Amino acid sequence: MKKLALALLVLLVAQPVLVSADPTTLTLYSSRKAHLIEPVLELYTQQTAVQFNLHTGKPGPLLERLDAAGKNGGADVLLTVDAGNLWHAAERGLLVPIDSEVLAQSVPPALRDPENHWFGFSRRARTLAYNTEKLSPDELSSYEDLADPKWRGRLCLRTSKKVYNQSLVATLIAHHGEEKAEEIVKGWVANLAAEPFSNDTKALQAVAMGRCDVTIVNNYYFGRLMRKEPNLKLALFWPNQDSQGVHVNVSGGGLLKISPNPGEAKAFLEWLAQPEAQGLFAELNLEYPVREDVPPASAVQAWGKFRGDSLNLVEAGRLQADAVRLMDRAGYR
Ligand code: FE
């Protein structure tokens, strides 16, 4: 009898230890920076006990490392920025389609792969930023207008090597055809006030310093810079409100083919599309939730409302190689 009681006691004591000794751990490859994703992962761990093993890196090298990860215990989820990069991961066969009613209901069609390999989880606007001492907003109208000779020596741009600009030009091809898109990009190049900058922040600083009047940037770089230097004479402008809308892109993710935990990985991705995660995921990087029923953070709301382009972002991937060649022909470095 004593032995039985002892055995029962051991069982009772041992059981919780057994459960917590082997919680699910999901391995995430993310080109979204660690500090922009860790609070989201912590929230999921609090709610589900699922743990994370996070690997971060730049989008290209991250995909290379993923090719090798299959042999080293696998990886479950890819998170990366820009539909161009998500499209590449799908093209390389790294992602498996997710058949999910939850994701289909939560993520608008333009912001996910029509074949369900990837889904956007936050939206970023690639929009105009201008010097408020040199311009009034009614002088601005569209991406196309920045090719007009009236902007000669007044435009700054980030390098064409960045996927953000490749995606933007890909959407110009989708809307206008290659010939017209090339004319627009040639016009931009003719209007440059300086060699293209290596990043959005440098382009913004050039505008703030009055080296040029206007540039094209992702909204969150503007947000970060203004947080640090609130007195800069900079403002955002939402272009193309009478035409295709502002170019929106996503930060998003998908389920890796080599995942040893596809069920748990799918559950995590579905959770990312739910309101609480959506609010946090977007707010951490001053972005917009993909769900229209989740408002952006108040700092982001302060920049005003805009109509985004409803073109499916898969086009940004499909037309990326054409966009790169076009920018090369147009002399956009
Ligand atoms: Fe970025």
Side-chain angles (χ1 to χ4, degrees):
M1 199 58 193
K2 252 186 184 173
K3 266 188 181 168
L4 186 64
L6 190 68
L8 270 173
L9 187 70
V10 167
L11 253 179
L12 282 171
V13 172
Q15 215 167 11
V17 177
L18 280 177
V19 171
S20 66
D22 190 26
T24 303
T25 297
L26 290 176
T27 300
L28 243 78
Y29 274 64
S30 171
S31 63
R32 193 171 170 89
K33 296 205 173 74
H35 71 279
L36 299 178
I37 181 74
E38 273 161 351
V40 177
L41 305 185
E42 280 159 20
L43 182 62
Y44 194 66
T45 300
Q46 275 172 27
Q47 293 181 1
T48 63
V50 168
Q51 305 281 322
F52 292 94
N53 183 358
L54 178 64
H55 300 264
T56 59
K58 296 208 162 180
L62 199 73
L63 292 194
E64 302 293 334
R65 278 161 59 198
L66 261 178
D67 282 334
K71 294 161 205 122
N72 311 325
D76 301 293
V77 170
L78 173 69
L79 294 174
T80 190
V81 293
D82 201 284
N85 289 328
L86 290 161
W87 182 86
H88 268 292
E91 279 291 294
R92 284 169 80 144
L94 294 170
L95 303 172
V96 277
I98 309 177
D99 181 20
S100 163
E101 239 345 90
V102 173
L103 287 171
Q105 299 274 332
S106 311
V107 182
L111 307 180
R112 54 182 155 90
D113 174 27
E115 290 173 3
N116 298 322
H117 290 94
W118 51 263
F119 299 82
F121 294 112
S122 62
R123 286 186 302 145
R124 58 268 303 275
R126 192 151 188 79
T127 193
L128 308 192
Y130 67 97
N131 183 311
T132 52
E133 283 187 330
K134 296 180 88 179
L135 288 188
S136 86
D138 54 19
E139 293 175 72
L140 293 163
S141 60
S142 66
Y143 303 107
E144 293 83 351
D145 176 65
L146 295 178
D148 189 283
K150 73 176 181 233
W151 296 107
R152 194 83 9 120
R154 300 168 74 189
L155 176 66
C156 278
L157 290 175
R158 184 183 189 156
T159 170
S160 66
K161 307 293 178 284
K162 184 67 188 181
V163 67
Y164 302 159
N165 285 331
Q166 296 167 3
S167 289
L168 170 64
V169 171
T171 65
L172 291 178
I173 296 174
H175 288 299
H176 302 300
E178 271 208 47
E179 208 175 310
K180 170 98 189 285
E182 191 168 335
E183 247 171 62
I184 295 162
V185 176
K186 277 183 176 155
W188 290 353
V189 172
N191 290 341
L192 287 179
E195 284 295 303
F197 293 90
S198 58
N199 64 50
D200 282 15
T201 305
K202 286 180 184 163
L204 283 165
Q205 284 164 334
V207 174
M209 289 185 308
R211 205 166 155 197
C212 36
D213 297 0
V214 56
T215 186
I216 305 175
V217 292
N218 283 0
N219 64 277
Y220 54 89
Y221 291 109
F222 169 84
R224 283 181 206 167
L225 184 61
M226 295 305 277
R227 228 178 222 181
K228 270 196 239 154
E229 299 179 65
N231 297 323
L232 289 180
K233 304 292 176 212
L234 286 176
L236 291 182
F237 178 84
W238 306 119
N240 297 78
Q241 295 304 282
D242 303 326
S243 50
Q244 71 265 29
V246 178
H247 172 60
V248 287
N249 212 304
V250 290
S251 172
L255 171 60
L256 288 161
K257 195 176 267 174
I258 56 174
S259 171
N261 310 292
E264 287 88 347
K266 177 183 170 185
F268 168 65
L269 290 167
E270 288 179 330
W271 176 83
L272 274 184
Q274 298 319 297
E276 190 182 15
Q278 277 284 292
L280 183 59
F281 192 84
E283 182 175 358
L284 285 166
N285 193 32
L286 299 169
E287 289 177 282
Y288 299 85
V290 292
R291 290 178 72 112
E292 272 142 37
D293 58 346
V294 179
S298 54
V300 173
Q301 277 185 48
W303 303 330
K305 287 198 162 125
F306 64 90
R307 191 169 60 80
D309 192 343
S310 59
L311 180 78
N312 192 296
L313 277 177
V314 78
E315 297 299 332
R318 245 186 240 155
L319 293 167
Q320 189 187 80
D322 291 338
V324 169
R325 282 192 292 269
L326 183 155
M327 290 190 285
D328 196 44
R329 287 197 301 276
Y332 179 9
R333 304 287 172 240

